[in-house]
Amino acid sequence: MSLKDKPVTTQLGPSDQKLSYECVEDLEQLPARGRVKHAGYVQSVSYSAPNEAPLLTAVVVDRLGTMSARRGTVPHVRLIFMGQKSVPGIKPGVKVEYSGMVALVEQIPTIFNPRYVIVPEARG
């Protein structure tokens, strides 16, 4: 059998393996570890110091509330974009749909380098 008889398919990895994400409706359902998908609002964004490696951290909550609510009392997840000084569209108040591997870091659910999509606001 020659190469002409075999169909050529481009494949970067095993085709039978699909990444399975647990879709989370509420951050209170967030597992301690595993792949998750969620949509929430960016509550705050912080940047690394100029003399440190670039790092952008966004805190995401289910719904935006008053600033009087303490971060420790509201379920939240930390999205960390390593090697980034800024991330397009990631700013406080923006609704974002994200997915990635969650792990507890300093007792806070954290996702490093998540995939994300900015969810457009409905104009009313």
Side-chain angles (χ1 to χ4, degrees):
M1 182 178 239
S2 70
L3 287 177
K4 292 179 185 177
D5 299 332
K6 289 184 178 179
V8 177
T9 59
T10 57
Q11 206 172 351
L12 296 176
S15 62
D16 57 332
Q17 283 187 337
K18 295 278 184 185
L19 295 178
S20 62
Y21 291 92
E22 180 181 339
C23 293
V24 178
E25 295 295 323
D26 192 352
L27 284 174
E28 290 177 352
Q29 303 168 346
L30 198 65
R33 52 172 45 177
R35 295 185 189 282
V36 295
K37 268 188 180 179
H38 181 256
Y41 294 90
V42 177
Q43 183 181 39
S44 64
V45 176
S46 58
Y47 308 92
S48 60
N51 59 347
E52 295 178 3
L55 186 78
L56 183 133
T57 303
V59 174
V60 177
V61 294
D62 286 324
R63 44 201 148 284
L64 292 175
T66 63
M67 289 305 235
S68 62
R70 295 187 56 203
R71 188 178 294 160
T73 61
V74 177
H76 62 282
V77 64
R78 202 168 36 182
L79 305 181
I80 297 182
F81 297 89
M82 299 179 69
Q84 303 295 318
K85 290 183 180 181
S86 67
V87 177
I90 300 294
K91 57 186 178 183
V94 169
K95 185 171 185 179
V96 63
E97 187 175 294
Y98 59 92
S99 62
M101 181 69 82
V102 68
L104 287 178
V105 177
E106 299 170 351
Q107 300 303 313
I108 299 172
T110 305
I111 299 176
F112 289 92
N113 295 329
R115 293 178 181 260
Y116 75 97
V117 174
I118 303 296
V119 179
E121 287 187 32
R123 297 187 184 212

